[in-house]
Structures are given as structure tokens and as C-alpha cells.
Amino acid sequence: MEIKVKVRFNASSERFESYGGNRYLIYLPFSEDKDSKNIVIGILSKKIGVPTPRIIFESKDAMGNWIFNLD
């Protein structure tokens, strides 16, 4: 199953929004760095109830969405 996530960094607070169809918007209160992918995977795991090892980052699309697949 493919999951699309739009990540907004440097937000005033952390938020998670679902738009249906496996599309999500995550606001994070810090800049993007090397640990960002693992943080997003952790948030997705908690919100959608899937263990972190099953969430695999695939790529970013042309619109800036982060694409994940469930193993």
C-alpha cells in the first residue's frame, strides 16, 4: 500500500492531518535533517497503527510528497 505524506518543516507546532486515500500532512517544528525520515516514520507508525519496520521510504515525488510503502 502506498502512502503519500507532505511534510512541512519549521512549523509553529507539531500536527498531523489525514486527507483520506492514504494521504497525510505532517507539520514539524524543526528544520529538515538526516533524522527527519525516521521521525516521520515514527509519527506515521503511531497514527496509522503500523509497526515502524513495515514502513519503507521509497522517494519524493515531483510535488514534494514523501512516498512510503507498507511491507
Side-chain angles (χ1 to χ4, degrees), residues 3-60:
I3 298 172
K4 289 187 178 184
V5 179
K6 176 70 80 173
V7 182
R8 299 286 187 204
F9 293 98
N10 298 316
S12 59
S13 63
E14 185 175 314
R15 287 192 340 219
F16 179 89
E17 297 178 12
S18 174
Y19 287 97
N22 295 321
R23 296 180 311 156
Y24 303 97
L25 177 58
I26 298 175
Y27 293 91
L28 297 173
F30 52 82
S31 300
E32 184 174 3
D33 61 14
K34 61 180 174 60
D35 296 325
S36 299
K37 179 177 66 168
N38 292 331
I39 292 169
V40 171
I41 288 173
I43 292 170
L44 279 174
S45 174
K46 288 178 189 174
K47 298 295 185 175
I48 65 175
V50 175
T52 56
R54 290 195 54 215
I55 302 172
I56 300 167
F57 176 75
E58 294 293 327
S59 64
K60 290 184 184 178

